[in-house]
Amino acid sequence: MAAGDGTKFPPQKQETQPGKEHEMDPIPSYAPLSDYKPSDKLQGMVALVTGGDSGIGRSVCHFFALEGATVAFTYVNKQEDKDAAETLELLRKSKGGDAKEPMAIAMDLGFDENCKKVVDEVVGAFGRIDILVNNAAEQYKAASVEDIDEERLERVFRTNIFSHFFMTRHALKHMKEGSSIINTTSINAYKGNAKLLDYTSTKGAILAFTRGLALQLVSRGIRVNGVAPGPIWTPLIPASFNEEEVANFGKQVPMQRAGQPNEVAPSYVFLACNQCSSYITGQVLHPNGGYIVNG
């Protein structure tokens, strides 16, 4: 596990969002740890993961495929083509015998009509959606709220929370009792982050969205939960922070290191699997290296 002993990451910087996994040093760990034993927890299910080409999303897709699910994921056209192609090949190699061929869809999810196109394509290929993971996000530093203009604010909110509404409202038409929605929020929704004010605001909105939607859908037998990762080594990190910040990334939590995507993905498996979490809805899991949060 890269930097797992608390050592620094090599200084590095990527100039564009959302960041490219194949350019990171070291590459994030997305595959299960050696003692993880898949057991067909998601056999026969269809999962749609936004932002599934890299980072946490890639690992979630991989774990879902290993657990028997048919997996579709979205990515950013051109900017993430290489990562998406690598993830698609990974899923082809790891899918179960009964699962259908995985699908990668390039789309900007900040707009309602685009989210409908994604859902329609997945349902056209697989007939339904059993698991929706709203995971796509972007973030930018700002020293002050005065530095966040309307264009940037709208962009971050469209990607990080508008897409949750849009994807959910279209996917729900094709989800039945026993289905699951999992939203990626953040430790920043609980502790705040002065340098990522707009991003942090969207993550707080996702938390409230998760709780409200869970109450709204409980009568339909659809569970809604969230995952609030702490500092995780993903392409967002070198694309958001300077070299010194990257080198020391994750040191602030009790474990004194950043987590890896494969340490987060099992939380999504747990929440997606009815045998594991049938009595859990409106809740958030916290893979964050020991940081204590309330609420």
Side-chain angles (χ1 to χ4, degrees):
M1 183 182 302
D5 58 357
T7 59
K8 292 184 176 182
F9 291 104
Q12 57 200 282
K13 174 68 177 172
Q14 296 187 25
E15 297 302 326
T16 59
Q17 288 270 359
K20 300 175 178 64
E21 183 149 323
H22 64 272
E23 293 183 359
M24 296 175 68
D25 178 21
I27 298 296
S29 300
Y30 55 80
L33 300 175
S34 60
D35 55 354
Y36 182 88
K37 298 294 188 289
S39 56
D40 294 330
K41 295 181 182 69
L42 307 178
Q43 184 72 33
M45 303 183 82
V46 175
L48 171 55
V49 181
T50 68
D53 63 288
S54 64
I56 292 171
R58 171 185 282 188
S59 192
V60 169
C61 287
H62 186 36
F63 274 70
F64 279 8
L66 290 171
E67 292 291 355
T70 295
V71 180
F73 68 89
T74 70
Y75 66 99
V76 177
N77 190 32
K78 296 183 180 178
Q79 297 180 56
E80 297 179 324
D81 286 356
K82 181 174 174 58
D83 285 344
E86 291 177 355
T87 300
L88 196 60
E89 182 60 23
L90 171 70
L91 298 181
R92 288 190 177 118
K93 292 178 179 178
S94 56
K95 77 180 186 70
D98 295 334
K100 295 182 173 63
E101 282 294 304
M103 175 185 294
I105 305 171
M107 196 66 70
D108 180 350
L109 301 180
F111 300 89
D112 183 74
E113 62 268 26
N114 291 351
C115 292
K116 185 178 187 302
K117 289 177 183 177
V118 170
V119 169
D120 288 347
E121 187 167 346
V122 173
V123 173
F126 305 134
R128 67 187 193 281
I129 295 171
D130 300 300
I131 306 162
L132 172 64
V133 177
N134 289 309
N135 173 72
E138 57 187 276
Q139 65 180 23
Y140 308 91
K141 285 177 60 180
S144 168
V145 66
E146 297 166 299
D147 298 329
I148 303 173
D149 61 21
E150 182 177 358
E151 180 180 2
R152 168 172 150 174
L153 187 66
E154 181 177 355
R155 179 66 211 171
V156 172
F157 268 74
R158 280 194 174 278
T159 300
N160 293 13
I161 180 63
F162 283 22
S163 67
H164 285 52
F165 277 86
F166 298 152
M167 290 298 301
T168 300
R169 81 186 199 91
H170 293 297
L172 275 172
K173 301 179 181 68
H174 310 282
M175 303 180 80
K176 299 179 179 179
E177 182 176 354
S179 297
S180 176
I181 298 171
I182 308 169
N183 301 317
T184 303
T185 178
S186 168
I187 190 174
N188 292 313
Y190 295 83
K191 72 178 186 62
N193 190 312
K195 297 179 180 178
L196 301 171
L197 184 60
D198 44 355
Y199 170 85
T200 297
S201 299
T202 64
K203 293 301 180 176
I206 292 167
L207 175 60
F209 174 73
T210 299
R211 291 170 171 171
L213 186 64
L215 295 175
Q216 191 177 100
L217 297 182
V218 69
S219 63
R220 294 170 60 170
I222 298 174
R223 297 181 299 106
V224 185
N225 293 289
V227 179
I232 308 299
W233 184 236
T234 76
L236 272 181
I237 305 312
S240 302
F241 302 116
N242 63 40
E243 291 188 354
E244 181 180 355
E245 290 168 325
V246 169
N248 290 285
F249 180 65
K251 290 290 192 67
Q252 72 274 26
V253 301
M255 287 188 179
Q256 297 184 354
R257 66 171 179 87
Q260 292 287 338
N262 63 358
E263 297 179 286
V264 180
S267 294
Y268 292 79
V269 173
F270 172 78
L271 292 174
C273 174
N274 280 309
Q275 290 88 345
C276 296
S277 56
S278 60
Y279 198 51
I280 298 177
T281 194
Q283 309 303 315
V284 177
L285 300 184
H286 296 275
N288 64 24
Y291 199 99
I292 306 301
V293 297
N294 296 310

